[in-house]
Structures are given as C-alpha cells and as structure tokens.
Amino acid sequence: MPKLGLGVYQITDEFACRNTVESALDIGYRLIDTAQAYHNEKFVGDAIKQSNIPREELFITTKLWLADTGYKSTIKAFENSLKKLGLDYLDLYLIHQPIGNYYGSWKAMEELYASGKIKAIGVCNFLPDRLVDLILSHNIIPAVNQIELHLLCQQQELLKLMKKYDIKPMAWAPFIEGKEKIFENPLLISLAKKYNKTTAQIILKWLRQNNIISIPKSTNYTHLQENIQLNNFTLTAEELDTLTQLDKKHSIILDLHDINEVYRLHNIKFIQ
C-alpha cells in the first residue's frame, strides 16, 4: 500500500474530479481514496479507465456508508461501488463510520475478502472501544483504520492500540481542512524555510516519518506535485518531537463522542 495517496472528499463536480484524479495518476499517485458517500465513485472510475495504468499498479479504496450497514445491504452497496468504479476488485474496502449494524457489514466483508473481491478490509473512525470490540468479535482484524489524524489531533493512544494489532493508520484531512490557520503555524513556517519546502510538505513528511499513510486532497496541480515530493529531505528526531508538542489531544473536525454528531451522520441520506 502506498504511503501517500489522493483523497477526493468534496470533489463532487464531474470535470473537477476526473481531471484531478487523471492529473494525480499522471504525476505518479497510485493510491486513490473515495467513498460511497462522496458521490464521485463513477468519476474516479472514469479517470482510472482513461489513465490506462495497469490495474495491478493501482491501490483503490472506497467506503461503505452507515445507511447501508448490515450483511445484505453491504454486499449490495459493495457491488454498486465496484460497478461505479468499473473495477473487478477493490484493494481496500472500509466501514465509513462506527455506527449502525457494522457487525453484519464486517461479516459480509470477511466473505468478500475470502472470495478475492477485496484484497484488504478495514474501518474508519473507530476509536479504541469500538475497535477492540470489533476485533474480539470477529475472525479478521482490520488491516487499516482511517482516522482524523493531524498535528493537532495525533491520536497517540489509539496508535499504540493499533500497533498492538498491526493495524495500519491512515490519516484523513492531514491538513485539518485548513482549519486553525495550520499553514500559518510559525514552527511549520520555520521548518519549511529551513528545508525549502512548503508547510504542507512538512506536515506530510511528519506523517511519513511516523509511518502514517496520508490521503491529502487537492485539486491544484502544483499542490498535487508538491505533496508527493517528500523523498529529498528528512526531519530530525528533535524536530519530530517538537511537532509532537502541537497535539491538542482532541478532535478538531469529527468528534464521535458528541451525540449531536451521531444524529447528524444518521441524517445523511442519499440515493444510490
């Protein structure tokens, strides 16, 4: 699995999505992360087809929305996603939220994995209690947990638990969606000047050196190029430690401990 990929959350315009994915693939991205709830699986699939890149070189991820959790619903939703993407199999299929009948979904995903239609299965946004419960109640341990993980919410305790079970962390919104004036952070600016890089590249390098997969989103061609150019510099141990001090130890974007957030997620409905 590539250490860095392209996320396409909120890229719902057909031209913008297809152009962004085509550009990313042309630049060298091989991991593309979409979801049933993003309303753009078909656009991603069209871009993949247009690229003519051999299927085995790509790593394609999509996700099951909570309205379709449950055994039978999961199988149907999976087949719909596969059809929209125009693929014969998925590299990684994820349960999008730890809400709903995800037990039934996991059973279906275990069977789809055994059949070869999915190369790996995992979850998103599973915090320690739900993650351990899922692990202890089923045969297959999630390969990946895609979580809110960035400099201001570093999820240290969750990462320790995931390491115990060999679950790979994948960071969504590594730039915090631009919140908290993250690109104006003085420490990041000073490191960017030192290494002649952007503040975004410093953030992604911090994730890379902590063995965290990241899926930054951008529709800007220059930013797509910059985000993947991380191999010609290395942050020192002291710099990594200093960046760790930025952790606020709580969610900035999605707090699943907040009951209002659970209500909001349950109210998101869409037609396949």
Side-chain angles (χ1 to χ4, degrees):
M1 185 176 184
K3 296 292 186 183
L4 185 141
L6 173 71
V8 295
Y9 176 54
Q10 295 180 327
I11 312 179
T12 55
D13 176 79
E14 179 176 0
F15 175 79
C17 186
R18 289 181 60 173
N19 184 64
T20 298
V21 175
E22 287 176 15
S23 296
L25 292 172
D26 183 61
I27 289 168
Y29 288 76
R30 291 298 179 263
L31 164 60
I32 307 295
D33 177 272
T34 183
Q36 179 186 10
Y38 296 173
H39 305 282
N40 58 19
E41 288 174 314
K42 185 180 185 304
F43 309 150
V44 170
D46 290 343
I48 291 170
K49 184 177 180 180
Q50 184 66 29
S51 74
N52 290 318
I53 296 171
R55 176 67 183 91
E56 62 272 15
E57 294 183 15
L58 299 174
F59 196 101
I60 308 301
T61 300
T62 194
K63 312 177 191 75
L64 172 78
W65 188 242
L66 64 93
D68 284 318
T69 56
Y71 179 82
K72 291 183 179 179
S73 297
T74 295
I75 292 175
K76 181 180 178 180
F78 168 78
E79 294 295 347
N80 284 336
S81 289
L82 205 62
K83 182 178 179 180
K84 288 179 180 179
L85 287 163
L87 301 176
D88 296 323
Y89 68 91
L90 277 177
D91 297 281
L92 177 64
Y93 195 45
L94 304 172
I95 295 176
H96 206 151
Q97 300 290 349
I99 302 172
N101 182 13
Y102 57 82
Y103 264 47
S105 295
W106 196 252
K107 180 181 178 182
M109 289 164 63
E110 286 183 324
E111 291 182 7
L112 290 166
Y113 170 77
S115 74
K117 289 187 176 181
I118 308 172
K119 300 301 182 183
I121 56 177
V123 295
C124 299
N125 304 308
F126 273 59
L127 299 179
D129 54 345
R130 300 274 174 127
L131 187 60
V132 169
D133 179 49
L134 185 74
I135 291 168
L136 298 181
S137 303
H138 297 87
N139 295 320
I140 299 178
I141 295 175
V144 169
N145 188 12
Q146 187 181 118
I147 52 178
E148 177 182 352
L149 202 166
H150 45 72
L151 282 167
L152 303 190
C153 178
Q154 297 182 21
Q155 304 273 21
Q156 295 295 337
E157 292 306 312
L158 179 54
L159 289 179
K160 289 178 184 177
L161 176 66
M162 289 165 58
K163 185 176 182 180
K164 174 182 177 180
Y165 289 102
D166 194 27
I167 300 171
K168 299 296 185 288
M170 181 187 286
W172 58 259
F175 303 141
I176 326 175
E177 298 178 345
K179 301 178 189 296
E180 305 289 323
K181 297 183 179 180
I182 190 62
F183 297 119
E184 300 172 29
N185 180 277
L187 174 57
L188 291 175
I189 290 174
S190 67
L191 290 172
K193 288 180 178 178
K194 173 182 175 180
Y195 292 104
N196 193 29
K197 295 293 180 181
T198 66
T199 50
Q201 287 172 311
I202 298 299
I203 293 169
L204 294 176
K205 190 65 175 184
W206 171 79
L207 288 163
R208 172 76 60 84
Q209 289 185 228
N210 280 289
N211 297 313
I212 297 165
I213 302 158
S214 59
I215 45 170
K217 182 201 76 175
S218 178
T219 57
N220 181 289
Y221 190 83
T222 299
H223 292 166
L224 286 172
Q225 288 180 309
E226 291 172 346
N227 289 348
I228 207 169
Q229 294 170 353
L230 303 175
N231 293 329
N232 60 349
F233 75 106
T234 301
L235 299 172
T236 67
E238 182 179 1
E239 289 165 346
L240 290 173
D241 183 63
T242 302
L243 289 169
T244 300
Q245 307 310 310
L246 297 177
D247 189 10
K248 293 188 175 182
K249 302 184 186 300
H250 63 78
S251 169
I252 304 296
I253 302 172
L254 179 68
D255 183 4
L256 288 171
H257 294 298
D258 182 351
I259 191 171
N260 291 318
E261 197 66 68
V262 177
Y263 280 123
R264 183 185 71 83
L265 293 171
H266 265 286
N267 286 329
I268 296 175
K269 310 292 183 183
F270 57 92
I271 299 173
Q272 283 282 7

